[in-house]
């Protein structure tokens, strides 16, 4: 079964064709990073306008690269939640129109749940040349989902059947990377810039606090971000009223890389501590990481070191936003649930992942 996945929830316009939930036939991502970089973050209206320009060319390229015509496509899967409303509307409207035009079943996909399914892609068609895991994860599966908007630990018992074990009570970890990067004057997006700067820094130079959160598997990152701000102000000799946007001018290159490394170490340790606890309590058969922060090498290193299980990681290109993950999850949604009539598909900008578990509303299982 070939599924066309479409993703436009934030600042990437993406389309991909995935066969049987695991074989990637094409993977097209148009990133708007350059457009938003000058503002230091995503501007929703600008993002939506760029999606409108790019959505059709990106979908056509995904079909071409896959060597497919519309006759070859069995279903369309599209991100409908969560995300920026204007961005989501562009992708879902395109998907609804194409579903009607070509008579294809349509499956709405939850973006955060889909991030996990990047780990299910184990085969690819040339000239794609990604370093893929050797086999699909098995259930029960512990997923650490870490993106710009989410930090969650989720236990999957099966496709569409999962339980949220813990989540952040304030900032997502990716958001903390982005905000700390701004304090240090590192370029947007902050995650990759901090990771790169940290390579040159001393991760033990600054002692930053690790949040202790009520609830075994919950996280908190806003305290860490504020601790970095206060420590930087102290280090450069200004008081706590000094505006954070003027700090980068006062921070030396040495301080910048040492703060990046010290922050990254604590942020990652916080995630790995909770993942380790969940692993010990639930004994999952496999562990996966998902979302943009899953591209972080320090996270991969610490997790592999601490958990007594072999973890296979999805390639970086499938950790940040893409449509391959939408097409992969779309296959399982198509196998286990009924399609949504195109006219009924609405976007939901804020929707918790657990509200979408579809195992309980299964129409048939094979
Ligand atoms: O999943 P994603 O592409 O978009 C959302 O759905 O949020 O995640 C984006 C987040 C950003 O906060 C970005 O700074 C972070 O992922 N990120 C990283 C790395 N690459 C991207 N964080 C840490 N290390 C990285 N290498
Ligand atoms: Zn994402």
């Amino acid at each position: 079964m070939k599924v066309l996945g479409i993703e436009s929830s934030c600042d990437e316009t993406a389309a991909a064709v995935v066969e049987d939930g695991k074989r990637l036939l094409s993977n097209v991502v148009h990133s708007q990073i350059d457009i938003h970089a000058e503002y230091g973050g995503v501007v929703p209206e600008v993002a939506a306008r760029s999606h409108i320009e790019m959505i059709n060319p990106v979908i056509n390229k995904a079909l071409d690269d896959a060597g497919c015509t519309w006759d070859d496509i069995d279903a369309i899967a599209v991100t409908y939640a969560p995300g920026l409303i204007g961005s989501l509307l562009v992708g879902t409207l395109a998907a609804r129109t194409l579903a009607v035009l070509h008579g294809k079943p349509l499956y709405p996909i939850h973006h955060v749940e889909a991030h996990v399914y990047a780990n299910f892609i184990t085969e690819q068609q040339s000239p794609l040349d990604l370093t893929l895991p050797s086999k699909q994860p098995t259930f029960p599966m512990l997923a650490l989902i870490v993106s710009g908007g989410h930090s969650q630990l989720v236990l999957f018992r099966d496709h569409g059947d999962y339980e949220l074990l813990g989540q952040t009570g304030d900032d997502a970890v990716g958001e903390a990377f982005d905000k700390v990067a701004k304090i240090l004057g590192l370029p947007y997006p902050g995650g990759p810039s901090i990771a790169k700067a940290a390579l040159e820094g001393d991760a033990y130079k600054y002692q930053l606090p690790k949040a202790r959160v009520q609830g075994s598997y919950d996280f908190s990152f806003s305290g860490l971000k504020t601790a970095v701000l206060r420590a930087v102000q102290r280090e450069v000799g200004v008081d706590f009223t000094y505006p954070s946007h003027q700090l980068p001018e006062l921070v030396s290159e040495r301080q910048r890389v040492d703060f990046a490394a010290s922050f990254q170490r604590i942020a990652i340790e916080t995630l790995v501590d909770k993942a380790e606890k969940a692993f010990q309590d639930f004994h999952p058969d496999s562990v996966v990481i998902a979302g943009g922060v899953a591209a972080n090498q320090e996270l991969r290193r610490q997790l592999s070191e601490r958990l007594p299980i072999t973890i296979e990681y999805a390639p970086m290109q499938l950790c940040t936003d893409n449509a391959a993950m939408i097409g992969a999850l779309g296959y399982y949604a198509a196998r286990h649930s009924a399609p949504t009539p195109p006219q009924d598909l609405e976007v939901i900008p804020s929707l918790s992942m657990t509200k979408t578990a579809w195992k309980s509303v299964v129409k048939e299982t094979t």
Side-chain angles (χ1 to χ4, degrees), residues 44-353:
E45 283 74 16
V46 175
R49 215 168 307 142
S50 171
H51 284 306
I52 291 172
E53 277 170 29
M54 293 312 298
I55 194 86
N56 283 328
V58 163
I59 291 171
N60 289 335
K61 179 159 170 42
L63 290 172
D64 277 358
D65 288 359
C68 289
T69 66
W70 277 104
D71 283 347
D72 302 315
I73 299 296
D74 299 294
I76 299 174
V78 63
T79 305
Y80 78 110
L84 301 171
I85 186 164
S87 293
L88 288 167
L89 279 169
V90 178
T92 51
L93 196 57
R96 287 167 57 181
T97 309
L98 292 167
V100 172
L101 203 61
H102 300 286
K104 307 291 176 188
L106 180 62
Y107 295 90
I109 297 295
H110 191 279
H111 177 88
V112 183
E113 186 181 347
H115 265 300
V116 175
Y117 278 75
N119 293 283
F120 283 77
I121 295 171
T122 55
E123 297 171 23
Q124 62 195 320
Q125 169 171 285
S126 88
L128 289 172
D129 189 21
L130 303 171
T131 308
L132 299 173
S134 65
K135 58 178 176 17
Q136 291 191 312
T138 44
F139 298 107
M141 168 180 81
L142 179 65
L144 174 63
I145 306 173
V146 280
S147 72
H150 295 81
S151 308
Q152 305 183 330
L153 267 168
V154 182
L155 186 68
F156 280 72
R157 296 203 170 76
D158 200 347
H159 299 294
D161 177 6
Y162 46 79
E163 182 188 339
L164 179 66
L165 301 179
Q167 61 186 328
T168 180
D170 41 57
D171 290 357
V173 61
E175 200 177 341
F177 268 84
D178 293 337
K179 288 178 176 168
V180 168
K182 271 196 179 169
I183 294 170
L184 298 176
L186 289 163
Y188 166 87
S193 325
I194 290 215
K196 188 158 166 247
L199 291 173
E200 312 295 323
D202 174 359
Y204 293 86
K205 170 79 196 211
Y206 299 106
Q207 299 312 311
L208 299 166
K210 219 190 269 182
R212 285 181 213 289
V213 187
Q214 297 288 317
S216 298
Y217 313 107
D218 288 335
F219 311 103
S220 163
F221 290 101
S222 107
L224 174 57
K225 173 201 66 194
T226 309
V228 173
L229 175 61
R230 297 287 173 255
V232 173
Q233 287 168 326
R234 244 189 339 266
E235 188 71 13
V236 301
V238 296
D239 76 7
F240 69 95
T241 56
Y242 194 84
S244 63
H245 66 270
Q246 287 176 10
L247 277 174
E249 299 154 28
L250 306 179
V251 177
S252 73
E253 199 46 40
R254 185 74 253 156
Q255 290 166 332
R256 188 168 288 129
V257 294
D258 287 343
F259 269 115
S262 302
F263 159 77
Q264 175 176 262
R265 178 175 69 81
I266 295 294
I268 299 296
E269 269 180 32
T270 307
L271 295 171
V272 176
D273 286 351
K274 297 294 167 118
E276 187 180 34
K277 174 156 179 43
F279 184 86
Q280 287 162 350
D281 293 349
F282 293 96
H283 311 290
D285 217 51
S286 63
V287 174
V288 299
I289 56 174
V293 184
N296 187 280
Q297 291 298 337
E298 178 62 14
L299 172 60
R300 294 173 178 217
R301 194 189 61 72
Q302 281 197 28
L303 208 58
S304 292
E305 201 175 275
R306 297 259 296 272
L307 298 193
I309 189 172
T310 304
I311 306 175
E312 289 206 82
Y313 297 103
M316 309 283 182
Q317 297 91 328
L318 301 186
C319 287
T320 45
D321 286 351
N322 66 84
M325 64 189 199
I326 308 298
L329 177 53
Y331 167 73
Y332 295 100
R335 273 187 51 185
H336 297 297
S337 65
T340 295
Q343 68 277 12
D344 293 349
L345 177 61
E346 297 201 12
V347 303
I348 310 183
S350 299
L351 179 71
S352 145
M353 182 174 143

